[in-house]
């Protein structure tokens, strides 16, 4: 994957995390990333699977999760939701994942989210997001909590 494509995917994740609620939003967030990529003729499957957080050598937690796969790499803009609900282990969870997966996190892809079950977004909404992302070189992300997350826009109502 070329660096421009990877940088754009990172900016999509940063944009989503900074503007939309992360908590309980993995299916809708992965659908949004799918639609943005589709709009730009990039193949980014929205998939259902399992994310496993390896806390230490004796303990791990697994969660059902939705994320994207593009050119064989993982794109996950909603992984931070597990830091919000598991504050004890928030230090091991990144804000988002594009390509390089931390050693303590593993993904298992189970199946692609069927087209009928993906959230739909208007072309105008997706185009507005793409235009906003294109004009932002770098989006700053800082750690946040459930209260800060709840103040963000809910993607369910934005479509």
């Amino acid at each position: 994957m070329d660096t421009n494509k990877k940088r754009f995917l990172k900016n999509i994740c940063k944009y989503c995390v900074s503007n939309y609620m992360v908590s309980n939003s993995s299916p809708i967030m992965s659908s949004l990333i799918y639609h943005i990529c589709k709009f730009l003729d990039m193949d980014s499957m929205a998939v259902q699977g399992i994310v496993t957080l390896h806390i230490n050598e004796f303990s791990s937690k697994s969660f059902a999760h939705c994320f994207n796969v593009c050119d064989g790499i993982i794109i996950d803009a909603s992984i931070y939701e597990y830091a919000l609900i598991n504050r004890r282990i928030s230090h091991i969870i990144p804000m988002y994942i594009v390509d390089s997966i931390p050693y303590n996190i593993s993904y298992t892809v189970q199946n692609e989210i069927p087209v009928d079950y993906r959230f739909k977004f208007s072309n105008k909404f997706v185009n507005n997001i793409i235009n906003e992302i294109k004009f932002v070189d770098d989006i700053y992300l800082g750690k946040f909590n459930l209260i800060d997350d709840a103040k963000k826009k809910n993607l369910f109502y934005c479509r």
Side-chain angles (χ1 to χ4, degrees):
M1 176 179 291
D2 68 26
T3 55
N4 287 333
K5 191 175 184 181
K6 196 180 293 186
R7 186 174 61 239
F8 189 74
L9 290 170
K10 286 181 180 182
N11 282 343
I12 289 172
C13 289
K14 289 178 183 180
Y15 180 85
C16 288
V17 170
S18 64
N19 288 293
Y20 301 111
M21 284 179 57
V22 173
S23 184
N24 298 317
S25 66
S26 69
I28 198 165
M29 195 83 73
S30 62
S31 291
L32 177 63
I33 292 170
Y34 166 81
H35 284 286
I36 290 170
C37 290
K38 183 179 175 187
F39 203 81
L40 297 171
D41 292 326
M42 295 167 53
D43 186 26
S44 173
M45 294 186 330
V47 298
Q48 297 170 320
I50 304 289
V51 63
T52 303
L53 307 173
H54 306 281
I55 300 163
N56 57 41
E57 55 187 283
F58 307 109
S59 177
S60 64
K61 289 186 177 217
S62 295
F63 303 94
H65 192 57
C66 295
F67 50 94
N68 298 78
V69 177
C70 181
D71 292 345
I73 67 166
I74 301 292
I75 300 147
D76 190 351
S78 57
I79 185 76
Y80 198 68
E81 75 177 297
Y82 301 113
L84 297 176
I85 59 175
N86 296 290
R87 293 178 67 185
R88 293 182 305 124
I89 58 171
S90 64
H91 63 284
I92 67 169
I93 303 171
M95 300 294 279
Y96 64 91
I97 292 176
V98 174
D99 189 23
S100 53
I101 301 171
Y103 71 94
N104 60 323
I105 298 174
S106 58
Y107 285 87
T108 304
V109 176
Q110 293 186 323
N111 60 326
E112 185 175 7
I113 299 173
V115 176
D116 295 341
Y117 296 107
R118 286 188 203 135
F119 289 89
K120 308 296 188 271
F121 297 93
S122 71
N123 287 341
K124 181 180 177 186
F125 180 73
V126 172
N127 195 32
N128 287 341
I129 290 174
I130 291 169
N131 288 333
E132 288 182 35
I133 292 171
K134 283 182 181 177
F135 295 114
V136 176
D137 283 337
D138 196 26
I139 299 169
Y140 170 75
L141 283 180
K143 301 252 179 190
F144 54 92
N145 57 33
L146 276 172
I147 295 170
D148 295 334
D149 191 49
K151 294 176 184 176
K152 297 177 188 173
K153 298 175 201 165
N154 188 331
L155 263 176
F156 189 74
Y157 300 113
C158 293
R159 334 184 255 149

